[in-house]
């Protein structure tokens, strides 16, 4: 039946289940082409090329390309070589998606692996101005940024509370990006780990894009992951690595 699959159904392309089906179908072809190996860069290059070759609908192709390149950024950043980046930039016609992705790379490179986490001012929900380095001193921490304007806040709240229980050795420090201290108090149980930026805080330079960024910092103040996502299926593995460093 796979010989008769329509990968370019304009109506169905708007449906999440169809998008997932097409993605799984292309993954399977890439898996076979790459000698049944999904754990190397070559598999990702093949997958991107399949999207380019087999998806004719521009919006649908852009969506799949953007999804895959972002998956690589968050989970296999070392795979993003010149060839893969060029394939994305050349074949994606969504200029906003390209702009956002390029900003992601700029933001990540501002905090390279093992660099010292920068200092900046934050306000606590009690209106106390603090240095972020004082807040995270000698702690293994996850610093995550969030906004009351995000659609997934309820899921984020549950996710943070779950991770707090599973990893009590790690401090989860939330920074609200829209100066909403009262919202901070209501939203998370541990308000003592909730902050927001002061008006002139240099920390705002870390949120130049729309992604819900999280930064993992070890007890020595070194960045071990400058762009993690708390909603990722890989986050627990990354947190175990944080504790083992």
């Amino acid at each position: 039946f796979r010989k008769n699959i329509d990968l370019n159904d304009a109506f169905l392309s708007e449906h999440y289940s169809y998008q997932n089906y097409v993605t799984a179908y292309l993954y399977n072809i890439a898996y076979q082409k790459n000698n049944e190996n999904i754990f190397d860069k070559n598999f990702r290059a093949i997958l991107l090329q399949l999207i380019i070759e087999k998806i004719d609908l521009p919006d649908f192709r852009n969506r799949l390309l953007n999804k895959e390149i972002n998956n690589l950024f968050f989970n296999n950043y070392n795979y993003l070589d010149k060839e893969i980046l060029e394939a994305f930039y050349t074949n994606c016609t969504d200029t906003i998606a390209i702009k956002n992705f390029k900003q992601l790379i700029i933001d990540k490179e501002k905090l390279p692996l093992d660099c010292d986490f920068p200092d900046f001012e934050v306000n606590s929900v009690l209106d106390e101005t603090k240095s972020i380095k004082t807040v995270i001193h000698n702690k293994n921490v996850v610093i995550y940024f969030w906004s009351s304007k995000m659609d997934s806040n309820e899921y984020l709240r549950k996710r943070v509370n779950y991770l707090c229980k599973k990893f009590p050795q790690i401090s989860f420090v939330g920074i609200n990006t829209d100066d909403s201290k009262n919202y901070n108090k209501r939203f998370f149980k541990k308000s003592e780990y909730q902050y927001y930026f002061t008006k002139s805080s240099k920390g705002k330079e870390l949120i130049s894009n729309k992604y819900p960024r999280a930064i993992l910092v070890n007890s020595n103040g070194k960045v071990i992951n400058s762009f993690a996502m708390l909603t990722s299926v890989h986050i627990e593995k990354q947190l175990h690595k944080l504790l083992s460093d």
Side-chain angles (χ1 to χ4, degrees):
F1 75 93
R2 292 177 179 173
K3 296 179 181 179
N4 299 315
I5 292 173
D6 183 0
L7 300 178
N8 292 281
D9 189 307
F11 175 74
L12 290 178
S13 68
E14 299 297 322
H15 292 266
Y16 192 63
S17 56
Y18 179 78
Q19 295 168 20
N20 280 348
Y21 182 84
V22 171
T23 299
Y25 175 79
L26 296 178
Y27 262 68
N28 187 57
I29 297 177
Y31 174 72
Q32 295 177 46
K33 285 180 174 289
N34 199 42
N35 299 315
E36 301 186 353
N37 182 6
I38 63 172
F39 299 108
D40 64 7
K41 182 180 65 177
N42 193 48
F43 170 80
R44 301 294 172 171
I46 292 172
L47 179 60
L48 279 180
Q49 195 57 42
L50 285 170
I51 294 172
I52 293 164
E53 292 175 356
K54 294 185 176 293
I55 307 301
D56 300 324
L57 298 171
D59 288 346
F60 190 29
R61 183 174 60 245
N62 287 342
R63 185 180 293 114
L64 295 184
L65 287 173
N66 193 44
K67 180 180 178 181
E68 180 57 28
I69 204 73
N70 277 277
N71 281 340
L72 282 176
F73 177 87
F74 286 107
N75 300 314
N76 299 99
Y77 186 76
N78 58 316
Y79 289 173
L80 290 174
D81 63 7
K82 183 178 180 180
E83 178 186 358
I84 286 179
L85 289 173
E86 188 63 27
F88 173 67
Y89 294 146
T90 303
N91 294 281
C92 179
T93 59
D94 186 339
T95 55
I96 294 177
I98 290 176
K99 180 181 178 181
N100 288 337
F101 184 73
K102 286 183 176 180
Q103 187 61 52
L104 274 179
I105 293 179
I106 291 171
D107 289 346
K108 188 175 181 69
E109 290 179 349
K110 286 180 182 176
L111 291 179
L113 189 67
D114 290 327
C115 76
D116 290 326
F117 187 71
D119 199 13
F120 54 83
E121 287 187 338
V122 290
N123 283 332
S124 73
V125 293
L126 300 177
D127 282 334
E128 298 172 331
T129 300
K130 295 185 177 183
S131 155
I132 192 65
K133 284 204 171 184
T134 301
V135 174
I136 68 173
H137 183 62
N138 286 341
K139 297 184 181 77
N140 289 310
V141 297
V142 174
I143 300 169
Y144 61 96
F145 303 93
W146 66 283
S147 167
S148 58
K149 300 179 181 67
M150 289 165 53
D151 294 333
S152 57
N153 273 326
E154 181 59 27
Y155 178 74
L156 177 64
R157 181 186 68 81
K158 292 179 180 178
R159 187 68 168 157
V160 170
N161 291 336
Y162 163 78
L163 292 172
C164 282
K165 289 181 180 179
K166 186 156 188 179
F167 296 90
Q169 315 95 311
I170 298 175
S171 297
F172 290 80
V173 177
I175 299 179
N176 185 281
T177 61
D178 48 32
D179 302 337
S180 184
K181 64 177 180 180
N182 291 327
Y183 199 79
N184 282 31
K185 287 180 180 179
R186 296 195 310 270
F187 202 66
F188 292 97
K189 292 179 180 179
K190 295 187 176 182
S191 60
E192 67 268 28
Y193 289 112
Q194 287 297 312
Y195 298 87
Y196 61 100
F197 289 127
T198 61
K199 288 184 178 180
S200 59
S201 178
K202 292 183 179 180
K204 292 180 180 179
E205 296 174 3
L206 300 174
I207 54 166
S208 59
N209 57 71
K210 64 183 179 64
Y211 291 88
R213 181 180 193 175
I215 302 172
L216 280 55
V217 184
N218 67 19
S219 58
N220 295 318
K222 301 290 186 180
V223 174
I224 71 157
N225 189 328
S226 65
F227 233 117
M229 291 189 73
L230 297 184
T231 55
S232 169
V233 295
H234 301 281
I235 189 62
E236 293 191 26
K237 180 180 178 180
Q238 294 167 356
L239 295 180
H240 282 297
K241 183 178 186 301
L242 170 62
L243 292 174
S244 65
D245 273 14

